[in-house]
Amino acid sequence: MTVIGLDDTDSRERGMCTTYLAARLAEAIERAGATVHRRLLVRLNPAVEHKTRGNAALALHTDLDADRALDLAATELEPLAETDDPRTSPGVVVADVDPDGVPAPVAAFATRAVRELLELDEARSLIETHGYAHRGWAGGRGRIGALAAVGAWAGLDEWTYEHVAYRAFERCGTPRDVDEASVFEAAADHYPTAWDTVDRAEGEAVCVPNAPGPILYGIRGDDPETVRAVADRIESEPIERAATFLTNQGTDGHLREGTVGDLRDGRAYRVDGVVADAPETRRGGHVFFGLRGLDTDATVDCVAFEPTKRFRDRVRALRAGDELTVCGEVSEGTLKVEKFAVRSLDRTAETTPTCGECGRSMESAGRGQGYRCRDCGTSAPGPETVEIDRDLEVGWYEVPPCARRHIAKPLVRGGFDAPVHPER
Ligand code: ATP
């Protein structure tokens, strides 16, 4: 078997998309008389600075001869890759290997590429150690992602599907013509096997991208028939080609267990802690709160950014003392919250005591001197503890589909360790 890994052919301004190259290359392989067994769309560490958008790398599993595969990949890549963009640095890696049986260090490279920041030198030396064919253009940094895509089938353990429909290439850059009503209807009929197709509260068809590039829409879900069935129901401008990818989208594959006080930039974590101070909405509508670790005084700033929309109301509903598990990427020391679980809610508050004799509200008797009733002189040693209503429940809360990172797992997919409050 031959595994072809591809990455970094696209440009933020000029469009293109490595998935499109993979779809075209798969067709070229089939025209050459070979079979393409799988198309993988692998989302790597979303914290990577060089990424164009979603840090995607692609792999094709085929019975085409490995020698021919590199030439064919280069022939398809060269006219499409946006190498005039200084940020675009394409790479191709071709391995003559069974995708299930790649060597352990290559599988581990894939797992690490989802969770860490890696160097091109390490990718090159692994590629050479294992005798894989490779080519890079404009520096060829894409070989990091391409090698990760080669190792992904063995290195990653959970797979979902995305069916991508592509526009006619000459229409790229013009507004997309997709009938939103047909998208919302199909999404409702196939939820939750297909997820993140729309954001109902925002009224947004999130499966239709805004960025330039050839993707018309991408339907994500748990099985290939369903994602294709949703796509079949969507009315739109002509579709030039389509492809169904196996992906690690919607899996939370980027998250690792972490401890407050021991978090590193460029990684994404699941951390337990206690809300240290009341959430605060700052300029731009971003909501911040401090999370103190368990058994430590260390804290980490957590933020729900403005684009997370209604999720910020869930964050604003937190109070100091609530026990949480928080998930998200750490950047410049701040954890960007993707989801959190309420483990326990602080349901008490301290208020000015009421006089037991005459029922009036007491007043402070001075610093550290408790309270006194102005009318009857009765005193109380300190504030009164009262039970309060909370606008949150125990369980998991998440950002809405319009703010979901590709790799983040929607709560509706299940497998969480507490009740879930899914957004749709
Ligand atoms: P799009 O979403 O539009 O397909 P992209 O977001 O996938 O674009 P790329 O243009 O592929 O972005 O850029 C990502 C670059 O980062 C590639 O060169 C890839 O090799 C590299 N890369 C991927 N994962 C890592 C990692 N874990 N550490 C370091 N570099 C990485």
Side-chain angles (χ1 to χ4, degrees), residues 243-255:
T244 306
F245 296 93
L246 274 149
T247 93
N248 62 336
Q249 291 168 168
T251 64
D252 273 348
H254 61 318
L255 300 180

Side-chain angles (χ1 to χ4, degrees), residues 124-391:
R124 285 192 69 133
S125 98
L126 263 178
I127 289 167
E128 277 154 22
T129 303
H130 295 288
Y132 299 157
H134 64 106
R135 260 188 85 176
W137 291 256
R141 192 179 52 235
R143 283 171 291 187
I144 301 174
L147 180 64
V150 169
W153 190 246
L156 310 183
D157 49 17
E158 193 180 352
W159 296 93
T160 64
Y161 294 85
E162 177 160 352
H163 183 78
V164 182
Y166 297 96
R167 321 180 67 187
F169 206 71
E170 63 278 7
R171 289 177 90 118
C172 293
T174 65
R176 291 170 173 84
D177 181 10
V178 177
D179 177 52
E180 293 221 342
S182 68
V183 177
F184 276 83
E185 276 171 31
D189 288 349
H190 291 282
Y191 182 85
T193 310
W195 30 263
D196 289 357
T197 312
V198 298
D199 187 316
R200 301 208 314 180
E202 293 297 321
E204 192 181 324
V206 294
C207 63
V208 182
N210 295 314
I215 295 185
L216 185 59
Y217 53 77
I219 309 298
R220 299 175 179 191
D222 292 330
D223 75 58
E225 290 77 31
T226 302
V227 292
R228 284 193 283 259
V230 172
D232 283 347
R233 298 258 308 269
I234 295 175
E235 286 161 32
S236 72
E237 65 182 60
I239 289 162
E240 187 192 79
R241 52 170 47 81
T244 306
F245 296 93
L246 274 149
T247 93
N248 62 336
Q249 291 168 168
T251 64
D252 273 348
H254 61 318
L255 300 180
R256 65 173 70 217
E257 302 304 318
T259 313
V260 177
D262 197 17
L263 305 175
R264 280 166 58 180
D265 281 358
R267 297 180 168 198
Y269 295 93
R270 209 179 273 117
V271 276
D272 293 328
V274 180
V275 178
D277 44 34
E280 181 190 314
T281 304
R282 296 196 194 151
R283 209 156 132 172
H286 314 304
V287 182
F288 288 78
F289 66 95
L291 186 76
R292 193 174 49 251
L294 306 176
D295 310 320
T296 162
D297 284 336
T299 60
V300 60
D301 277 338
C302 299
V303 60
F305 286 118
E306 189 282 331
T308 65
K309 304 291 172 198
R310 56 197 187 269
F311 179 62
R312 294 172 302 157
D313 294 332
R314 315 315 327 147
V315 173
R316 286 190 191 101
L318 292 167
R319 285 171 49 96
D322 291 342
E323 290 180 358
L324 306 181
T325 300
V326 180
C327 301
E329 172 196 318
V330 176
S331 168
E332 294 175 19
T334 299
L335 190 152
K336 303 187 269 186
V337 187
E338 297 169 12
K339 55 166 71 77
F340 66 86
V342 174
R343 302 302 183 183
S344 77
L345 289 168
D346 182 5
R347 293 187 182 276
T348 58
E350 295 195 327
T351 63
T352 305
T354 307
C355 176
E357 297 297 322
C358 62
R360 289 180 199 274
S361 184
M362 299 174 111
E363 286 183 355
S364 171
R367 223 170 140 190
Q369 296 180 52
Y371 293 83
R372 195 156 33 81
C373 177
R374 188 197 266 193
D375 292 319
C376 69
T378 305
S379 59
E384 200 174 323
T385 302
V386 292
E387 214 30 44
I388 49 165
D389 285 341
R390 295 297 307 273
D391 210 8

Side-chain angles (χ1 to χ4, degrees), residues 43-55:
R43 296 290 179 177
L44 302 173
N45 187 347
V48 165
E49 188 193 333
H50 304 293
K51 70 178 182 180
T52 311
R53 284 179 296 268
N55 203 6

Side-chain angles (χ1 to χ4, degrees), residues 37-74:
H37 298 282
R38 293 187 199 96
R39 294 157 175 79
L40 305 188
L41 162 52
V42 186
R43 296 290 179 177
L44 302 173
N45 187 347
V48 165
E49 188 193 333
H50 304 293
K51 70 178 182 180
T52 311
R53 284 179 296 268
N55 203 6
L58 278 295
L60 298 175
H61 298 174
T62 171
D63 54 10
L64 181 73
D65 210 57
D67 296 337
R68 287 185 68 199
L70 187 62
D71 287 342
L72 202 52

